Amino acid sequence: METFETMRILQMDDELFMAALAQVHVTVREKEDVRIKEHSGPIQKYTPVSVKNSGAYYMRINYNFPVTKEGER
């Protein structure tokens, strides 16, 4: 099984799929100012245009999804 490097930014559908299956924790960060938008958590769902994390949907064009250790931000 693939392991995920901490702070690696997930962008491709296959990366998001594997992270969702492995319940890897990701942080939602705005692309423009790199502020953390939500606590880290596993990807709950993804589509070609959005990612669901911590119960909210985020547009992939506006946000980055770096891998984080559980409990980190």
Side-chain angles (χ1 to χ4, degrees):
M1 176 168 253
E2 183 177 347
T3 59
F4 292 90
E5 299 170 32
T6 301
M7 295 309 293
R8 175 180 171 196
I9 295 175
L10 304 176
Q11 297 177 341
M12 306 298 292
D13 284 343
D14 60 340
E15 294 173 326
L16 293 166
F17 175 72
M18 291 299 295
L21 282 179
Q23 293 293 285
V24 171
H25 282 248
V26 299
T27 299
V28 179
R29 293 184 184 263
E30 291 185 47
K31 286 185 178 180
E32 293 298 314
D33 55 17
V34 195
R35 285 188 291 178
I36 295 172
K37 191 67 176 174
E38 272 293 328
H39 298 296
S40 64
I43 295 171
Q44 297 168 312
K45 184 178 179 179
Y46 75 93
T47 71
V49 296
S50 67
V51 172
K52 184 178 180 183
N53 182 295
S54 300
Y57 287 90
Y58 300 94
M59 302 300 289
R60 288 169 66 173
I61 197 165
N62 297 326
Y63 295 93
N64 285 322
F65 305 95
V67 174
T68 55
K69 291 182 183 174
E70 190 171 347
E72 255 185 22
R73 282 212 245 168

